[in-house]
Amino acid sequence: WALRDNPDLLYWCMGEFDEAAIHLVTRYGALEGTVPRRLFVSDRHKILVFERGSLIFLFNFHGSESVADFPVLVPPGSYRLVLNSDDELFGGQGRIQPDQTLPLQAEMRGNEICHIIKVYLPCRTAMVLERTV
């Protein structure tokens, strides 16, 4: 007798996302020869952003607060969404446009030019962006 998840609880969706994330990290070699670099952390807003190889990982762990146009300080390059947990395939609500490209913006901070992208981070979501040069 095999134990099965109750399909109404959507645990299968987390398994599907986990499998897709493992496949993505393997395909990009993001764990090989790279170390994670924290780009942003906020305990108050429950947001975590880090870079690993050519991938940017964004997490909004907040239970009810989505963030529109969230600015992320990033290295120069081109950014494309390659995975997001809000995809209906993973039981999400489909609030994030799939395969979108995020425009890089230059911003002066003091005497330094910084590069940012602005991202929509719905509550309780994770997404991965690919950086290309």
Side-chain angles (χ1 to χ4, degrees):
W1 182 70
L3 293 176
R4 295 184 185 257
D5 289 332
N6 179 339
D8 296 333
L9 297 179
L10 300 179
Y11 289 125
W12 64 270
C13 298
M14 293 184 344
E16 294 291 324
F17 181 77
D18 188 43
E19 186 176 319
I22 290 169
H23 176 72
L24 182 75
V25 167
T26 302
R27 187 173 88 212
Y28 284 88
L31 300 180
E32 300 167 10
T34 65
V35 295
R37 184 171 74 101
R38 184 178 61 195
L39 299 177
F40 182 81
V41 137
S42 171
D43 290 333
R44 186 170 73 99
H45 297 291
K46 300 178 182 1
I47 293 175
L48 169 66
V49 181
F50 67 91
E51 175 186 35
R52 184 93 192 224
S54 64
L55 300 177
I56 305 284
F57 297 82
L58 304 102
F59 300 89
N60 183 349
F61 294 107
H62 203 285
S64 60
E65 288 185 22
S66 298
V67 182
D69 293 327
F70 179 74
V72 180
L73 194 62
V74 293
S78 209
Y79 291 87
R80 181 177 66 89
L81 179 66
V82 290
L83 182 67
N84 86 82
S85 65
D86 196 52
D87 193 312
E88 292 174 359
L89 176 67
F90 306 122
Q93 298 177 26
R95 297 167 289 184
I96 301 171
Q97 178 187 343
D99 298 319
Q100 64 179 296
T101 300
L102 296 125
L104 189 67
Q105 301 174 14
E107 184 177 281
M108 286 297 293
R109 293 190 179 177
N111 293 331
E112 186 176 355
I113 296 177
C114 298
H115 297 93
I116 62 167
I117 53 175
K118 292 190 177 177
V119 182
Y120 173 49
L121 289 175
C123 59
R124 298 182 311 253
T125 59
M127 66 178 70
V128 182
L129 307 175
E130 172 194 24
R131 177 176 46 88
T132 58
V133 180

